[in-house]
Amino acid sequence: MSPQDTESATAAGTAERPTAESDAAAAGEPVVHLADVAFGYTATPVVEDVSLTIDPGEYVAIVGPNGSGKSTLMQLMLGLLEPDAGTARLFGERADRFDDGERVGYVAQRASAAKEMPITVREVVKMGRFPHVGFGRLSGEDWAVVDDALATVGMSAFADRRVTQLSGGQRQRAFIARALASEADLLVLDEPTVGVDAESVDAFYDLLAALNAEGITVLLIEHDLGAVVEHADRVVCLNRELYFDGPTDEFVESDALARAFGTEARVLTGGSG
Amino acid sequence: MNAVVTAAPVTGTLAAADPSLLLALPLQGALGAVGDLVFGVLLWLLEQWYWLMDWVYYFTGLEMLNPRYRFMHRAILVGLCVGVMAPLIGTFLVHRQLALIGDALAHTGFAGVAVGLFLNAVIDLGVSPYLTAVVVAMIAALFIELISEVTDAYNDVSMAIVLSTGFALGTTLISLNAGGLAVGVNQFLFGNLSTVSPQSAAILLVLFAVIVGTVAVTRNQLLYVTFDETAAAVSGISVNWYNRVMVMLTAMVVVGAMQIMGVILVAAMLVVPVAGATQVSRSFSESLVVSVVLAELAVLLGIGVAYYGGVTAGGVIVLVAVGIYVCAVALGKLQSARAGRRTPDMGSIEATGSEASVDAEGD
């Protein structure tokens, strides 16, 4: 699939989506907007001088070596951290004051969910509806969305299983289903395929492409450069500051990778690059 | 409705009979009147409870429910309330690896008791030590939470420091006034069934209502924050705010349960039934229910054994709870050995079908 094809598919998908939210998003308000953002946990900046804009319907991957500030940048975008300098905006609002949580779905790295808590897959997916119901109970419609999300990731048979008894890949599917159940406009995934079996990984990227074709903005933080080159439309390469921001095929041809990673890094595209 | 209507005359007669009881809340004016009203309602509830227990006595003939032993009726009421609220809060704490915060807050609660006894002895304040314990423990809870927000982690070192500081403050204050105060300290350290006064039962009922009410309203948010703090924050939940609510509720539970469990053993009620329920439950809601059932079982058996065997209730309750926990672990192993044999087929990810199914649902 060439970038042009994907772009036209994205545009068509956005136009077809009936909800008011996506109409507003399609009207041109950027999903994420960073201007000269800098941040450091200590005096040394982890992220410096980053400016970028992500528009509705884009499929963006953020890549960079370990410790390059990928996850920090994501946290700045989501408002989990406040920038030391510059501004971070999410759906036009200041990211750290953004409170319209139902517009953002989030899938974390596997490590953050390693708990011995008794909770079923359906209960995990149910949390995706919490931003919609607040203090109330889930309606029949909410439960239908939950069951749909479970079916989409192929986990219906596991709905009443304890999450702790699942394999890494199954657990990650449950978290993706939770993000789907939130019916978000922006899907943020932080290295979502770590610990997921190979065949699920392929199906998982197909799912992301399908969701993106529906008009959902996808933001992927990824370590696996091959997957990024194969699936994302746009690549943001980061190592403390931006090394590259543009279409994927330009990224492959540029020397940004070597400069950012500082080694003889090669993109393994499995023959397609 | 009925309770509110009946409350006014009850309060009136009560105020006439024993004004000292009403000093539980040293407030004046309208606020004081509201306090009196609430206290009256609670005492009325207590009367209904006695009546219920009397009936249970006539039906079962259990000696420990004899109407002459009102203190046992109160102890059972307090025990039942603790059996609900301790595992309810404990479930959220245990799954955040915060099992020890209950212990730390219990020890600061002890400092609160000492402050209350001290003030009563020095300036004749006349408040229940449990009230000062609630206040001090809640301040300490907020303090622990704020430290963790600043340092970005709950660490066992700061917890240990708060725990020892609380206990040290308590013992120091008590030794200051050793003459008058040494008398009642065992009751707070180890708990006592026979010293549950109507006043402290009333305080516990208020704590119970606040805790169960708060958890009922914010259950979604508490669950999300407990399970996945980052995702909860992304979804717009103010994580710090709910953490503060959680530690304050913990402080209330700990002080409430202190009456029969004592400072030293109170944390066990937050942790042991929850640990047992975790072994045998699949879902979170199931684990909440199971942990409450296990806690009630431990409390009732423990109080019974304590009465007939003439031993300290707190210790027996914890021993029974641990016994139940061991049984739950065995049961859990059995369950998972059985469940391991059948594994359902995992469906495939519907990359193309998702759009159709979502649209169909929208209609």
Side-chain angles (χ1 to χ4, degrees), chain A residues 64-79:
Chain A
N66 279 333
S68 60
K70 297 190 296 279
S71 289
T72 305
L73 188 68
M74 179 211 71
Q75 288 176 305
L76 287 163
M77 286 174 173
L78 292 175

Side-chain angles (χ1 to χ4, degrees), chain B residues 3 20 73 75 84 122 187 202 234 239 253 260 265-267 308 315 325 334 337:
Chain B
S20 68
H73 294 185
V84 173
V122 175
Q187 160 199 347
V234 171
V239 173
V253 170
I260 58 169
L265 291 171
V266 72
Y308 291 108
Y325 166 74
L334 212 68

Side-chain angles (χ1 to χ4, degrees), chain B residues 6 24 86 104 109 177 182 316 358:
Chain B
T6 336
N177 264 39
V316 181
V358 169

Side-chain angles (χ1 to χ4, degrees), chain A residues 17-269:
Chain A
R17 275 194 98 204
T19 62
E21 283 160 24
S22 62
D23 285 349
E29 172 197 46
V31 176
V32 173
H33 181 76
L34 302 180
D36 303 321
V37 165
F39 179 84
Y41 296 98
T42 56
T44 321
V46 179
V47 170
E48 204 172 9
D49 205 17
V50 173
S51 301
L52 61 90
T53 301
I54 297 173
D55 287 320
E58 281 198 280
Y59 189 151
V60 183
I62 301 180
V63 298
N66 279 333
S68 60
K70 297 190 296 279
S71 289
T72 305
L73 188 68
M74 179 211 71
Q75 288 176 305
L76 287 163
M77 286 174 173
L78 292 175
L80 299 175
L81 295 172
E82 204 180 328
D84 295 337
T87 54
R89 291 186 167 273
L90 188 59
F91 291 105
E93 281 180 57
R94 259 186 69 168
D96 56 308
R97 300 207 184 137
F98 183 76
D99 55 1
D100 198 0
E102 61 185 66
R103 300 190 72 175
V104 185
Y106 172 71
V107 179
Q109 289 184 51
R110 188 176 59 145
S112 75
K115 290 194 173 180
E116 275 302 306
M117 188 164 157
I119 187 163
T120 64
V121 173
R122 181 177 273 118
E123 281 178 315
V124 170
V125 179
K126 184 180 86 171
M127 292 179 197
R129 299 306 296 169
F130 284 172
H132 298 261
V133 300
F135 296 121
R137 298 176 68 89
L138 270 70
S139 68
E141 234 170 273
D142 291 318
W143 282 114
V145 174
V146 168
D147 288 339
D148 257 8
L150 279 168
T152 303
V153 298
M155 290 289 286
S156 296
F158 289 81
D160 295 321
R161 282 276 169 136
R162 237 176 107 151
V163 170
T164 46
Q165 292 170 346
L166 302 181
S167 71
Q170 291 167 337
R171 201 176 305 175
Q172 204 59 356
R173 285 185 182 205
F175 288 113
I176 292 159
R178 179 175 72 189
L180 293 182
S182 66
E183 294 185 315
D185 301 326
L186 169 65
L187 210 50
V188 179
L189 308 108
D190 189 357
E191 305 200 10
T193 55
V194 172
V196 177
D197 54 298
E199 72 181 293
S200 297
V201 169
D202 286 341
F204 167 71
Y205 280 112
D206 289 343
L207 173 67
L208 281 190
L211 292 168
N212 182 239
E214 280 177 46
I216 295 174
T217 313
V218 176
L219 178 60
L220 184 66
I221 289 93
E222 189 50 275
H223 200 68
D224 177 4
L225 290 168
V228 166
V229 168
E230 205 171 324
H231 301 284
D233 299 337
R234 174 179 161 194
V235 173
V236 173
C237 183
L238 183 84
N239 191 358
R240 197 162 61 90
E241 46 195 33
L242 282 190
Y243 277 73
F244 182 85
D245 180 6
T248 307
D249 35 359
E250 282 179 31
F251 172 68
V252 176
E253 288 157 19
S254 75
D255 63 342
L257 194 60
R259 284 189 294 123
F261 283 71
T263 57
E264 292 291 302
R266 294 251 185 279
V267 179
L268 301 170
T269 57

Side-chain angles (χ1 to χ4, degrees), chain B residues 16 33 39 169 208 262 300 340:
Chain B
F39 193 57
L169 191 64
F208 179 77
L300 290 180

Side-chain angles (χ1 to χ4, degrees), chain B residues 121 173-184:
Chain B
L173 279 178
I174 280 167
S175 66
L176 257 183
N177 264 39
L181 291 183
V183 195

Side-chain angles (χ1 to χ4, degrees), chain B residues 16-34:
Chain B
D18 190 358
S20 68
L21 272 179
L22 294 173
L23 288 174
L25 299 167
L27 302 162
Q28 280 144 18
L31 210 56
V34 172

